[in-house]
Amino acid sequence: NAFYLTSYGNNWLAIMLGGYGTAGLATYNENDFSEEIVDLAIERTRVMSEHLGTDGAWEEGPFYWGGISFLIMFFDILSSVPGFPDLLDKESFRQTPLFPIYMNMPSCGRANFSDADYWQDHNSIHILALLARKTKNPYYQWAYHEYKDVADESKPHLKDYGIKDFRTSEETYQFISYDENLKPEYPGDFPLLKVFQGNTYGFVSSRSSFGRDDESVVICASAGTNGTNHHQLDIGQIII
């Protein structure tokens, strides 16, 4: 579908390009087609990365921010191959863990703007570890530890269906991404009010503390335009 190859603000494009690009690198010396795929992935992801705000926010909201994890994984792999650029060396990627840190809610939740549910999941937790390693940021390392076990805790109803652990692949990514020498540190110096603002989005988070503390108070608001992907006429919504 050509739409997904040109819709640069759509997380599904990040998933496809990250997957195709990584597969192309794995078979790069085996055929010319793989080289073409990698070149295409680099070309398109360069454009797509411009849709990630300089403050690290993603216009589709906190849930679909997880889709860019495939883009970040591809960039991380690409940077380890001689002769290829380090596309993660941008301020927007260095800042992007701030988006889930501020938009996460107490008791394993998140600000569920757009068509998302409240409960946190494991789709992108390992990216916090990857970017903590990449930036040597102890606050991102703390966020990884804070949220890495939320999948089991936030969806207990899955046990009713005999599903006890569905995190195998994610734990593999975390094992690869994690820097055991980086000591986590609570972000006590972070301001308690944060505004994410771009051409097509606006998110506000005001909180009494960070993390999964059930005693904390968090207020989040959504602004921007309803024309953005996945926004379901919820501009102006406030979650407390």
Side-chain angles (χ1 to χ4, degrees):
N1 189 327
F3 169 76
Y4 289 113
L5 292 178
T6 57
S7 180
Y8 294 106
N10 193 314
N11 75 97
W12 189 243
L13 179 58
I15 293 172
M16 290 195 300
L17 292 178
Y20 293 158
T22 301
L25 284 174
T27 58
Y28 193 78
N29 293 322
E30 297 179 10
N31 55 71
D32 294 338
F33 182 69
S34 293
E35 296 181 22
E36 183 180 346
I37 287 293
V38 172
D39 290 342
L40 176 64
I42 292 175
E43 174 192 334
R44 296 295 173 89
T45 52
R46 282 184 187 274
V47 179
M48 187 173 191
S49 62
E50 297 302 322
H51 284 257
L52 184 66
T54 56
D55 52 17
W58 183 246
E59 61 187 41
E60 292 180 311
F63 174 73
Y64 291 100
W65 173 87
I68 69 169
S69 63
F70 292 83
L71 198 68
I72 294 173
M73 284 190 292
F74 170 56
F75 286 175
D76 185 51
I77 296 169
L78 192 70
S79 67
S80 68
V81 181
F84 286 104
D86 184 0
L87 298 180
L88 277 180
D89 190 21
K90 292 184 60 176
E91 188 63 19
S92 55
F93 287 110
R94 295 180 180 276
Q95 295 287 329
T96 198
L98 295 177
F99 194 45
I101 289 174
Y102 273 96
M103 303 307 289
N104 279 345
M105 308 290 272
S107 188
C108 306
R110 66 178 151 224
N112 55 325
F113 299 118
S114 306
D115 48 8
D117 63 21
Y118 176 77
W119 300 113
Q120 186 59 264
D121 54 43
H122 258 71
N123 288 344
S124 54
I125 299 302
H126 65 279
I127 291 303
L128 297 175
L130 189 157
L131 290 174
R133 168 176 57 80
K134 191 78 174 179
T135 62
K136 303 300 180 185
N137 190 310
Y139 304 130
Y140 298 167
Q141 188 84 324
W142 168 87
Y144 162 72
H145 281 281
E146 185 74 0
Y147 295 107
K148 66 184 177 68
D149 294 323
V150 297
D152 287 343
E153 298 175 29
S154 66
K155 299 186 178 181
H157 61 281
L158 291 176
K159 292 183 174 62
D160 296 337
Y161 301 95
I163 301 175
K164 298 181 179 179
D165 193 342
F166 52 94
R167 301 173 295 151
T168 304
S169 61
E170 294 299 326
E171 289 178 341
T172 301
Y173 293 138
Q174 292 166 23
F175 174 77
I176 296 173
S177 301
Y178 186 69
D179 180 1
E180 62 181 10
N181 295 316
L182 182 60
K183 185 178 180 180
E185 183 177 338
Y186 176 80
D189 294 334
F190 280 12
L192 296 176
L193 174 66
K194 177 71 173 177
V195 177
F196 298 94
Q197 186 172 8
N199 293 331
T200 58
Y201 67 82
F203 299 98
V204 178
S205 172
S206 179
R207 51 197 312 130
S208 60
S209 64
F210 294 93
R212 297 158 55 191
D213 183 1
D214 287 338
E215 300 301 318
S216 63
V217 178
V218 182
I219 302 175
C220 291
S222 174
T225 170
N226 281 315
T228 305
N229 291 323
H230 294 291
H231 282 205
Q232 307 298 333
L233 301 180
D234 60 358
I235 300 304
Q237 180 182 357
I238 298 174
I239 300 174
I240 302 177

